[in-house]
Coordinates of all heavy atoms in Angstrom, one line a residue:
G52 N 116.1 94.6 116.5 CA 117.2 95.0 117.4 C 117.1 96.6 117.6 O 117.2 97.0 118.8
L53 N 116.9 97.3 116.6 CA 116.7 98.7 116.7 C 115.5 99.1 117.5 O 115.5 100.1 118.3 CB 116.7 99.4 115.3 CG 118.0 99.4 114.5 CD1 117.7 99.9 113.1 CD2 119.0 100.3 115.2
L54 N 114.4 98.4 117.3 CA 113.2 98.6 118.1 C 113.4 98.3 119.5 O 113.0 99.1 120.4 CB 112.0 97.9 117.5 CG 111.5 98.4 116.2 CD1 110.5 97.4 115.5 CD2 110.8 99.7 116.4
R55 N 114.0 97.2 119.8 CA 114.3 96.9 121.2 C 115.2 97.9 121.9 O 115.0 98.3 123.0 CB 114.9 95.5 121.3 CG 113.9 94.4 121.0 CD 114.5 93.0 121.2 NE 113.5 92.0 120.9 CZ 113.6 91.2 119.8 NH1 114.6 91.3 119.0 NH2 112.6 90.4 119.5
D56 N 116.2 98.5 121.1 CA 117.0 99.5 121.6 C 116.2 100.8 122.0 O 116.6 101.6 122.8 CB 118.1 100.0 120.6 CG 119.1 98.9 120.3 OD1 119.2 98.0 121.1 OD2 119.9 99.0 119.3
R57 N 115.1 100.9 121.3 CA 114.2 102.1 121.6 C 113.1 101.7 122.6 O 112.1 102.5 122.8 CB 113.6 102.6 120.3 CG 114.6 103.3 119.4 CD 114.2 103.3 117.9 NE 115.1 104.1 117.1 CZ 116.3 103.6 116.7 NH1 116.8 102.5 117.1 NH2 117.0 104.4 116.0
G58 N 113.2 100.6 123.3 CA 112.3 100.2 124.3 C 111.0 99.6 123.8 O 110.0 99.5 124.6
V59 N 110.9 99.1 122.6 CA 109.7 98.6 122.0 C 109.8 97.0 122.0 O 110.8 96.5 121.5 CB 109.5 99.0 120.6 CG1 108.3 98.4 119.9 CG2 109.4 100.5 120.5
E60 N 108.9 96.4 122.7 CA 108.8 94.9 122.7 C 108.3 94.4 121.4 O 107.1 94.8 121.0 CB 108.0 94.4 123.9 CG 108.6 94.6 125.2 CD 107.9 93.9 126.3 OE1 107.3 92.8 126.0 OE2 107.8 94.5 127.4
V61 N 109.0 93.6 120.7 CA 108.5 93.1 119.4 C 108.6 91.6 119.4 O 109.3 91.0 120.1 CB 109.3 93.7 118.2 CG1 109.1 95.2 118.1 CG2 110.8 93.4 118.4
T62 N 107.8 91.0 118.5 CA 107.8 89.6 118.3 C 108.2 89.3 116.8 O 107.9 90.2 116.0 CB 106.5 88.9 118.7 OG1 105.5 89.4 117.9 CG2 106.2 89.1 120.1
G63 N 108.7 88.2 116.6 CA 109.0 87.8 115.2 C 110.5 87.7 115.1 O 111.3 88.7 115.1
S64 N 111.0 86.4 115.1 CA 112.4 86.2 114.9 C 112.7 85.4 113.7 O 113.8 85.1 113.4 CB 112.9 85.4 116.1 OG 112.2 84.2 116.3
D65 N 111.7 85.2 112.9 CA 111.8 84.4 111.7 C 110.7 84.9 110.7 O 109.7 85.3 111.1 CB 111.6 82.9 111.9 CG 112.0 82.1 110.7 OD1 112.8 82.5 109.9 OD2 111.4 81.0 110.6
G66 N 111.0 84.9 109.4 CA 110.1 85.3 108.4 C 110.3 86.7 108.0 O 111.4 87.3 108.0
F67 N 109.2 87.3 107.5 CA 109.3 88.7 106.9 C 108.7 89.8 107.8 O 108.8 90.9 107.5 CB 108.4 88.7 105.6 CG 108.9 87.7 104.6 CD1 108.0 86.7 104.2 CD2 110.1 87.9 103.9 CE1 108.4 85.8 103.2 CE2 110.5 87.0 103.0 CZ 109.6 86.0 102.6
C68 N 108.0 89.4 108.9 CA 107.3 90.4 109.6 C 107.6 90.4 111.1 O 108.1 89.4 111.7 CB 105.8 90.1 109.5 SG 105.2 90.2 107.8
T69 N 107.4 91.6 111.7 CA 107.4 91.7 113.2 C 106.1 92.3 113.6 O 105.4 93.0 112.8 CB 108.6 92.6 113.6 OG1 108.7 92.5 115.0 CG2 108.6 94.0 113.1
W70 N 105.7 92.0 114.8 CA 104.5 92.5 115.4 C 104.8 93.5 116.5 O 105.6 93.1 117.4 CB 103.7 91.3 115.9 CG 103.5 90.3 114.9 CD1 104.3 89.2 114.6 CD2 102.4 90.2 113.9 NE1 103.8 88.5 113.6 CE2 102.7 89.0 113.1 CE3 101.3 90.9 113.7 CZ2 101.8 88.7 112.1 CZ3 100.4 90.5 112.7 CH2 100.7 89.4 111.9
I71 N 104.3 94.6 116.4 CA 104.6 95.7 117.3 C 103.3 96.1 118.1 O 102.3 96.5 117.5 CB 105.2 96.9 116.6 CG1 106.4 96.5 115.8 CG2 105.5 98.1 117.6 CD1 107.0 97.6 114.9
P72 N 103.3 96.1 119.4 CA 102.2 96.5 120.2 C 102.1 98.0 120.1 O 103.1 98.7 120.2 CB 102.5 96.1 121.6 CG 104.0 95.9 121.7 CD 104.4 95.5 120.3
V73 N 100.8 98.5 120.0 CA 100.6 99.9 119.9 C 99.3 100.2 120.7 O 98.6 99.4 121.1 CB 100.3 100.4 118.4 CG1 101.5 100.2 117.6 CG2 99.1 99.6 117.8
R74 N 99.1 101.5 121.0 CA 97.9 102.0 121.7 C 96.7 101.8 120.9 O 95.7 101.4 121.3 CB 98.1 103.4 122.2 CG 98.4 103.6 123.6 CD 98.3 105.1 124.0 NE 99.4 105.3 124.9 CZ 99.8 106.5 125.3 NH1 99.2 107.6 124.8 NH2 100.8 106.6 126.1
S75 N 96.8 102.3 119.6 CA 95.7 102.3 118.7 C 96.2 101.9 117.3 O 97.0 102.5 116.8 CB 95.1 103.7 118.6 OG 94.2 103.8 117.5
E76 N 95.6 100.8 116.8 CA 96.0 100.3 115.5 C 95.7 101.3 114.5 O 96.6 101.6 113.6 CB 95.3 99.0 115.2 CG 95.8 97.8 116.0 CD 95.1 96.5 115.7 OE1 94.3 96.5 114.7 OE2 95.4 95.5 116.4
A77 N 94.5 101.8 114.5 CA 94.1 102.8 113.4 C 95.0 104.0 113.4 O 95.4 104.5 112.4 CB 92.7 103.2 113.6
R78 N 95.2 104.6 114.6 CA 96.1 105.8 114.7 C 97.5 105.5 114.3 O 98.2 106.3 113.7 CB 96.0 106.4 116.1 CG 94.6 106.9 116.4 CD 94.2 108.2 115.7 NE 95.0 109.3 116.2 CZ 95.6 110.2 115.4 NH1 95.3 110.2 114.1 NH2 96.3 111.1 115.9
A79 N 98.1 104.4 114.7 CA 99.4 104.0 114.4 C 99.6 103.9 112.9 O 100.5 104.4 112.3 CB 99.9 102.7 115.1
V80 N 98.6 103.2 112.2 CA 98.6 103.0 110.8 C 98.6 104.4 110.1 O 99.3 104.6 109.1 CB 97.5 102.1 110.3 CG1 97.3 102.1 108.8 CG2 97.8 100.7 110.8
E81 N 97.7 105.2 110.6 CA 97.5 106.6 110.0 C 98.7 107.4 110.2 O 99.2 108.1 109.2 CB 96.3 107.2 110.7 CG 96.0 108.6 110.2 CD 94.8 109.1 111.0 OE1 93.7 108.7 110.7 OE2 95.0 110.0 111.9
Y82 N 99.3 107.4 111.4 CA 100.6 108.1 111.7 C 101.7 107.7 110.7 O 102.4 108.5 110.1 CB 100.9 107.9 113.1 CG 102.3 108.6 113.5 CD1 102.3 109.9 113.8 CD2 103.4 107.8 113.5 CE1 103.5 110.5 114.2 CE2 104.6 108.4 113.8 CZ 104.7 109.8 114.2 OH 105.9 110.3 114.5
L83 N 101.9 106.4 110.6 CA 102.9 105.9 109.7 C 102.7 106.2 108.3 O 103.6 106.6 107.6 CB 103.1 104.4 110.0 CG 103.7 104.1 111.4 CD1 103.5 102.6 111.7 CD2 105.2 104.5 111.5
A84 N 101.5 106.1 107.8 CA 101.2 106.4 106.4 C 101.5 107.9 106.1 O 102.0 108.2 105.0 CB 99.7 106.1 106.1
A85 N 101.2 108.7 107.1 CA 101.5 110.2 106.9 C 103.0 110.4 106.8 O 103.4 111.4 106.2 CB 100.9 111.0 108.1
H86 N 103.8 109.4 107.2 CA 105.3 109.5 107.1 C 105.8 108.6 106.0 O 107.0 108.4 106.0 CB 105.9 109.2 108.4 CG 105.7 110.3 109.4 ND1 104.6 110.4 110.3 CD2 106.4 111.4 109.7 CE1 104.6 111.4 111.0 NE2 105.8 112.1 110.7
G87 N 104.9 108.1 105.2 CA 105.4 107.3 104.0 C 105.7 105.8 104.3 O 106.3 105.2 103.6
V88 N 105.2 105.3 105.5 CA 105.4 104.0 105.9 C 104.1 103.2 105.9 O 103.1 103.6 106.6 CB 106.1 103.9 107.3 CG1 106.3 102.4 107.7 CG2 107.4 104.6 107.3

Side-chain angles (χ1 to χ4, degrees):
L53 290 170
L54 287 167
R55 287 185 184 110
D56 290 347
R57 288 158 175 76
V59 178
E60 288 188 38
V61 294
T62 59
S64 59
D65 189 29
F67 301 114
C68 300
T69 188
W70 305 89
I71 302 173
V73 294
R74 255 190 219 169
S75 167
E76 291 181 6
R78 295 289 292 138
V80 169
E81 183 180 282
Y82 175 83
L83 291 165
H86 289 86
V88 178

